[in-house]
Amino acid sequence: MDIERMKKLFNGRAVFFVGVVVAYGIVLVTVPDQAKEAIWKSLSLLLGVLPALIGVFVLMTLSELILDTKRLTRVVGSGSGTRGWILAISGGVLSSGPIYLWYPLLADLRERGMREGYVAAFLLARAVKLPLLPVMAFSFGWVFVIAFSLLLFVASLLGGMVSERLLSGVENGH
Amino acid sequence: MNDESNTKTANGEKLLRAVRKTLNSFRMFLPLLIGTVFSLGLVISILPSEFYGRAFPGHPILDPLVGAVLGAVSAGNAMLSYVIGGELLSEGVSLLAVSAFLATWVTVGFIQIPAESMMLGRRFTLVRNGIGFISALLVAGCLSIFFS
């Protein structure tokens, strides 16, 4: 097998996938019951994320259709300012499903001009889970829940801004 | 009539191109998604909820750090973190430590780091998760001052 083919085969994705298989192999040998339980849990998780996955697929296709690069740059690009921060954070708060489902859409939008700070703010703002607030209030009380959510909201904005500063510093070689 | 059919064909082609591009992105993403979901399943199965209570040493400075690290490496629905957090509070773990645990559970994803770094870049992932971790500790600190 030539080196190029081996490189292709063992790219990051393959290594990650093989790593997971090896981890399962180890658990299967040492604690078989837990490995079986993990497989069933993973399959049910996979089924659970399917509706959100379809939603992200539709959103990605729509963004490709509706948002040309010029419009995208205006909405979440370099010159979008406060409106861009509001859009990124509200998008993060309102987005549902697990965080990893949103990576392809964000990667695509960033490639087409979305600011890195907005991507970071979107991901950090996902910490505010509006539909789950009553459940949290049941354990911690409403005052705690409101304070916690407001602080996470502010942290996502500041975190997005700091991320952008740090990443542009790294890119510029500072 | 001819113009109308031309527009329809052009729109159909545009839609097909958009669907094809999305499918391409998903083809790259699916192995990562499956790997991440199976990693989550493994972590959820091997970390029983009783483990969390035993992990806190009862130290005022170490506890919030332990809480933050546990939240970062744990996985699953945020609802589960609320239940575990509530139990930790009733077992006497400090509000600061529990808040740090709740905040990193939703802001830092140790299990998702391979998928995030392959889709969004290693530097971005390190910076984003690092900031998530620090901001979670700051949020916990503010909450603890507010409720003390």
Side-chain angles (χ1 to χ4, degrees):
Chain A
M1 192 185 285
D2 62 277
I3 293 170
E4 276 308 306
R5 196 168 146 67
M6 273 180 77
K7 263 189 195 168
K8 248 184 184 173
L9 192 66
F10 286 98
N11 61 16
R13 284 173 183 80
V15 170
F16 174 57
F17 204 74
V18 170
V20 176
V21 173
V22 169
Y24 266 88
I26 293 168
V27 178
L28 196 63
V29 170
T30 48
V31 263
D33 286 345
Q34 228 147 24
K36 277 180 213 156
E37 193 193 322
I39 290 169
W40 280 115
K41 248 179 200 153
S42 306
L43 288 174
S44 94
L45 278 173
L46 213 52
L47 268 178
V49 301
L50 267 182
L53 192 68
I54 293 166
V56 172
F57 185 92
V58 172
L59 267 181
M60 275 181 82
T61 310
L62 280 179
S63 88
E64 195 63 40
L65 276 174
I66 299 164
L67 290 172
D68 54 42
T69 310
K70 208 171 149 191
R71 195 177 289 173
L72 188 92
T73 311
R74 212 174 45 234
V75 180
V76 283
S78 50
S80 43
T82 313
R83 192 174 58 169
W85 288 112
I86 294 170
L87 270 175
I89 292 172
S90 21
V93 172
L94 295 174
S95 62
S96 62
I99 190 167
Y100 47 85
L101 288 186
W102 295 91
Y103 297 154
L105 176 67
L106 293 171
D108 179 54
L109 292 176
R110 192 182 61 173
E111 206 174 285
R112 290 160 58 203
M114 185 174 180
R115 281 168 61 175
E116 296 218 275
Y118 294 162
V119 179
F122 178 98
L123 292 172
L124 291 168
R126 287 183 40 83
V128 182
K129 307 273 183 204
L130 290 181
L132 298 182
L133 294 187
V135 184
M136 196 184 194
F138 184 76
S139 298
F140 298 93
W142 276 107
V143 181
F144 178 90
V145 169
I146 291 166
F148 185 69
S149 303
L150 284 175
L151 284 168
L152 286 176
F153 195 82
V154 174
S156 66
L157 174 65
L158 296 177
M161 288 173 169
V162 175
S163 299
E164 190 162 76
R165 203 36 93 78
L166 287 174
L167 288 163
S168 66
V170 168
E171 270 161 23
N172 295 333
H174 296 303
Chain B
M1 188 72 183
N2 217 356
D3 279 354
E4 200 181 310
S5 93
N6 279 348
T7 315
K8 267 186 188 169
T9 316
N11 282 343
E13 275 172 12
K14 211 176 158 191
L15 176 68
L16 208 67
R17 238 191 344 259
V19 170
R20 216 175 277 151
K21 200 181 166 208
T22 310
L23 276 174
N24 260 341
S25 299
F26 264 66
R27 209 182 52 200
M28 306 273 282
F29 172 61
L30 276 181
L32 290 176
L33 170 76
I34 294 168
T36 306
V37 168
F38 273 79
S39 308
L40 288 172
L42 196 59
V43 170
I44 295 169
S45 305
I46 59 175
L47 270 187
S49 51
E50 313 87 65
F51 163 80
Y52 293 95
R54 293 197 300 263
F56 291 89
H59 189 279
I61 295 166
L62 276 179
D63 274 6
L65 280 176
V66 169
V69 171
L70 275 182
V73 298
S74 300
N77 194 306
M79 205 160 14
L80 184 61
S81 74
Y82 305 154
V83 176
I84 296 171
E87 279 170 19
L88 290 174
L89 266 186
S90 63
E91 284 173 26
V93 177
S94 69
L95 183 69
L96 176 63
V98 174
S99 307
F101 170 77
L102 294 174
T104 50
W105 185 294
V106 281
T107 50
V108 185
F110 191 76
I111 307 290
Q112 290 97 303
I113 280 180
E116 187 172 339
S117 83
M118 277 177 242
M119 294 302 294
L120 295 168
R122 200 184 302 163
R123 262 183 294 185
F124 175 87
T125 305
L126 287 177
V127 168
R128 211 276 301 167
N129 282 281
I131 286 173
F133 191 84
I134 294 166
S135 65
L137 283 172
L138 292 174
V139 165
C142 290
L143 283 170
S144 147
I145 293 167
F146 185 70
F147 285 95
S148 62

